């Protein structure tokens, strides 16, 4: 039962002008496709072949580095595509909004802290909003690690993630990572993020 590259629910040009079509296509087909294929190669014929991705990541320290890198890459991108939408942007609502106000004071303050985590992650990695037993926490991880992994410094369930690898923004933004981070908020699907939270 191999993992499959998930289909996007929108077209490659749907997130323009914030994320360009060429980046989306290469990112989805080549990068996410590559992680998916290499994850399948790494688990084929092993005892974890039929585990869910969450089960695999929870005990990732027991597995080869290829499982950590490609299992993380498979999971992280799947979440990333899911929490973006051409109808995104605006403000969170409902229980998620309540929690953001409780844990960060305001949406602006939450975004400021998240942007800081995304901008200062050295080299390649991800910025996260995670649910830690009902409390919202901002984190960042290197490479394709994520907070579900037993090796992660900060643990929790990711509900929002931003890819800050150069392959996610370089064609359009070159070295201007902060501009890409600002643009991201225009395509965040807050309904999906709230669903992941509750
Ligand atoms: Mn990526």
């Amino acid at each position: 039962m191999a993992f499959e590259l998930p289909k996007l629910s929108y077209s490659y040009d749907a997130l323009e002008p914030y994320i360009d079509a060429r980046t989306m296509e290469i990112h989805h087909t080549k990068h996410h496709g590559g992680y998916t294929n290499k994850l399948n190669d790494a688990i084929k014929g092993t005892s974890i072949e039929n585990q869910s991705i969450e089960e695999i990541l929870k005990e990732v320290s027991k597995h080869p580095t290829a499982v950590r890198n490609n299992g993380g890459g498979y999971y992280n991108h799947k979440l990333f595509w899911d929490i973006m939408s051409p109808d995104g942007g605006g403000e969170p609502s409902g229980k998620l909004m309540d929690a953001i106000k409780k844990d960060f004071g305001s949406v602006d303050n939450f975004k400021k802290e998240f942007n800081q985590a995304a901008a200062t992650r050295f080299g390649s990695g991800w910025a996260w909003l995670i649910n830690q037993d009902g409390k919202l926490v901002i984190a960042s991880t290197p490479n394709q690690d994520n907070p579900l992994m037993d090796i992660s410094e900060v643990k929790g369930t990711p509900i929002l993630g931003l890819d800050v690898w150069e392959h996610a923004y370089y064609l359009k933004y070159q070295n201007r990572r902060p501009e890409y981070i600002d643009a991201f908020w225009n395509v965040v699907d807050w309904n999906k993020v709230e669903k992941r939270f509750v």
Side-chain angles (χ1 to χ4, degrees), residues 35-168:
Y35 295 125
T36 305
N37 292 338
K38 287 177 193 162
L39 170 64
N40 287 329
D41 289 346
I43 62 172
K44 198 174 180 194
T46 73
S47 62
I48 59 170
E49 190 173 15
N50 294 310
Q51 286 187 353
S52 70
I53 190 63
E54 288 84 0
E55 286 172 322
I56 291 172
L57 298 181
K58 202 168 67 183
E59 299 194 319
V60 82
S61 63
K62 296 180 181 173
H63 310 316
T65 308
V67 174
R68 174 175 173 175
N69 290 340
N70 297 297
Y74 169 77
Y75 176 94
N76 295 347
H77 290 86
K78 193 164 183 258
L79 179 146
F80 188 47
W81 313 135
D82 185 57
I83 56 91
M84 293 193 291
S85 162
D87 306 315
E91 297 242 307
S93 59
K95 285 185 175 149
L96 178 63
M97 184 59 144
D98 296 342
I100 285 175
K101 283 183 179 160
K102 178 168 74 72
D103 293 326
F104 301 103
S106 67
V107 175
D108 281 351
N109 207 42
F110 153 69
K111 284 184 179 173
K112 210 172 112 188
E113 284 185 37
F114 186 97
N115 288 2
Q116 176 76 2
T120 57
R121 164 52 55 190
F122 183 75
S124 299
W126 290 75
W128 303 104
L129 177 64
I130 62 175
N131 183 350
Q132 250 180 14
D133 303 317
K135 185 181 160 57
L136 291 175
V137 173
I138 288 166
S140 83
T141 53
N143 305 313
Q144 294 296 351
D145 288 356
N146 70 47
L148 289 178
M149 293 180 174
D150 57 356
I151 45 83
S152 179
E153 273 178 43
V154 190
K155 291 185 191 65
T157 305
I159 62 169
L160 173 72
L162 175 60
D163 188 344
V164 295
W165 283 57
E166 283 187 345
H167 69 224

